[in-house]
Amino acid sequence: MGRWEPDARGRLERAALTLYGERGFENTTVAEIAERAGLTERTFFRYFTDKREVLFAGAGALQDLLVNAVVDAPPSVTPINAMAVALEAAAAIFDGRRDYSVQRQTVIAANSELQERELIKLARLASALADALRRRGVPDPAASLAAEAGIAVFKIAFERWISESNRGDLSQLIRDSFDQLKAVTAGA
Amino acid sequence: MGRWEPDARGRLERAALTLYGERGFENTTVAEIAERAGLTERTFFRYFTDKREVLFAGAGALQDLLVNAVVDAPPSVTPINAMAVALEAAAAIFDGRRDYSVQRQTVIAANSELQERELIKLARLASALADALRRRGVPDPAASLAAEAGIAVFKIAFERWISESNRGDLSQLIRDSFDQLKAVTAGA
């Protein structure tokens, strides 16, 4: 066991993101990340399996939060509104993390392997949310459609949040995108 | 230039899919595919860059067909109906190819690299269709939302078509899934 390092995870995340931005994801090593964070490689591997996972370590917590919010929504809530409630709850995770999110998105956009990993993350989220809706008694294909539509809304709201600094907070953009989706599918 | 071989592309596709099913995608070589098809490796590489592309060679034609159908829809057609028209037109590509599609899906489901490639294909389709809607004057985020929703409908209709042999044709399932999406987003 190494000695306890204050906020080791956060320091490693920030060091990694800075280095990926400076020299590219491909050209950054775990040794360099650990050094920049003032920590050892061994400490790095206590938190992350590899340098890619630094960018995706939050995926599990995000998925748990979304799934629990869907499962815990009152029975009277419709499938699409259960998705909306869950995604707005998830938006709170990103409060105060817009700069980090912009940096992360820039790194991902520059690397096709990372883009693929991000697509897989979203596909898994949609699949887990469809399962959560089925546990509420929602039949297929409604469960799958509500989950996929919700993830599409999240993806687009997130891209708007990243690209337009004056557009307000993420939860507002999620609400707005849900409204737009309703208008679009209604034939607007 | 090698001599002309009748239906070389189709023979290579069928040989590849049979071998992927028999021994797994990972354990099949290009040499074996060519041999099974009664052709040479050189002929294989005239049609495909590698053994993975045998499964995705139709992606470009599918994308062109969808994009052209969106661009060519009459101006009065709403964004979501332009997507529906395009996807129903694309369904015709799969007429008489259900057995092939089931086999292909089984191979893809067994290999995570192929699943990733399939997700990328769908993400590119959504992106190309959002562009096509913007060329019709549809603003964002409506263009992106209609495109992502349309691809979600296509994905789910396709999965139903593959998994339920008695559910009718793909274009009927696409229409049905669009109707279900409308009901779901309206709060059913």
Side-chain angles (χ1 to χ4, degrees):
Chain A
M1 298 296 290
R3 69 192 173 86
W4 181 77
E5 294 282 359
D7 190 26
R9 175 186 287 277
R11 285 157 63 187
L12 289 163
E13 277 182 354
R14 287 187 294 275
L17 212 53
T18 303
L19 288 168
Y20 298 162
E22 281 174 14
R23 62 186 71 171
F25 174 78
E26 310 79 1
N27 305 319
T28 302
T29 66
V30 167
E32 289 164 340
I33 296 167
E35 192 191 348
R36 180 70 66 103
L39 297 165
T40 63
E41 277 191 74
R42 195 175 151 165
T43 302
F44 178 95
F45 288 115
R46 211 175 295 144
Y47 292 95
F48 307 105
T49 50
D50 57 37
K51 67 176 182 169
R52 196 179 65 165
E53 285 313 299
V54 181
L55 297 165
F56 296 95
L62 177 63
Q63 181 166 319
D64 291 347
L65 189 153
L66 286 167
V67 165
N68 289 336
V70 166
V71 169
D72 294 343
S76 62
V77 174
T78 62
I80 198 75
N81 285 344
M83 288 297 301
V85 165
L87 291 168
E88 286 177 44
I93 289 185
F94 298 95
D95 276 351
R97 283 172 65 88
R98 187 169 176 280
D99 287 348
Y100 173 89
S101 299
V102 170
Q103 258 188 295
R104 177 180 178 279
Q105 206 74 357
T106 306
V107 169
I108 288 174
N111 182 289
S112 61
E113 184 208 331
L114 297 175
Q115 288 169 45
E116 292 171 22
R117 183 70 186 73
E118 184 79 350
L119 285 174
I120 293 158
K121 185 184 84 176
L122 291 172
R124 282 199 190 130
L125 279 180
S127 174
L129 287 164
D131 276 342
L133 287 169
R134 278 181 217 111
R135 282 160 64 192
R136 290 173 64 82
V138 180
D140 260 326
S144 304
L145 284 164
E148 295 278 353
I151 290 300
V153 160
F154 183 71
K155 186 180 160 201
I156 287 161
F158 200 84
E159 282 166 7
R160 292 173 78 194
W161 183 61
I162 292 287
S163 63
E164 303 164 29
S165 59
N166 56 350
R167 279 305 189 109
D169 66 10
L170 180 58
S171 74
Q172 177 58 44
L173 283 164
I174 289 171
R175 269 194 299 279
D176 180 59
S177 296
F178 264 108
D179 288 343
Q180 295 247 11
L181 176 70
K182 286 175 193 190
V184 161
T185 52
Chain B
M1 298 296 290
R3 68 192 173 86
W4 182 77
E5 294 281 359
D7 189 25
R9 175 186 288 277
R11 284 158 63 188
L12 288 164
E13 279 182 352
R14 287 188 293 276
L17 212 53
T18 303
L19 288 168
Y20 298 163
E22 281 174 13
R23 62 186 72 171
F25 175 78
E26 309 79 3
N27 304 319
T28 302
T29 66
V30 167
E32 290 165 338
I33 296 167
E35 192 189 350
R36 179 72 65 105
L39 297 165
T40 64
E41 276 191 76
R42 196 175 150 163
T43 302
F44 178 95
F45 288 116
R46 209 175 297 145
Y47 292 95
F48 306 104
T49 51
D50 57 38
K51 67 176 181 169
R52 195 180 65 166
E53 285 313 300
V54 180
L55 297 164
F56 296 95
L62 177 62
Q63 182 166 319
D64 291 347
L65 189 152
L66 286 166
V67 165
N68 289 337
V70 166
V71 169
D72 294 343
S76 63
V77 174
T78 63
I80 198 74
N81 284 345
M83 289 296 302
V85 164
L87 291 168
E88 286 177 44
I93 290 184
F94 299 95
D95 276 352
R97 284 173 65 88
R98 187 170 175 278
D99 286 348
Y100 173 88
S101 299
V102 170
Q103 257 188 293
R104 177 180 176 278
Q105 206 74 359
T106 306
V107 169
I108 288 174
N111 181 288
S112 61
E113 183 207 334
L114 297 175
Q115 287 170 43
E116 293 171 21
R117 183 71 184 75
E118 184 79 349
L119 286 174
I120 293 159
K121 185 184 85 175
L122 291 173
R124 283 199 190 133
L125 279 180
S127 174
L129 287 164
D131 276 341
L133 288 169
R134 278 181 217 113
R135 282 160 65 190
R136 289 173 64 82
V138 180
D140 261 326
S144 304
L145 283 164
E148 295 279 352
I151 291 300
V153 160
F154 183 71
K155 186 180 160 202
I156 287 160
F158 201 84
E159 283 165 7
R160 293 172 76 193
W161 183 60
I162 293 287
S163 63
E164 303 164 29
S165 59
N166 56 349
R167 279 305 188 110
D169 65 11
L170 180 57
S171 74
Q172 178 58 45
L173 283 164
I174 289 172
R175 268 194 299 279
D176 180 59
S177 296
F178 264 108
D179 288 343
Q180 297 247 11
L181 177 69
K182 287 176 193 190
V184 160
T185 52

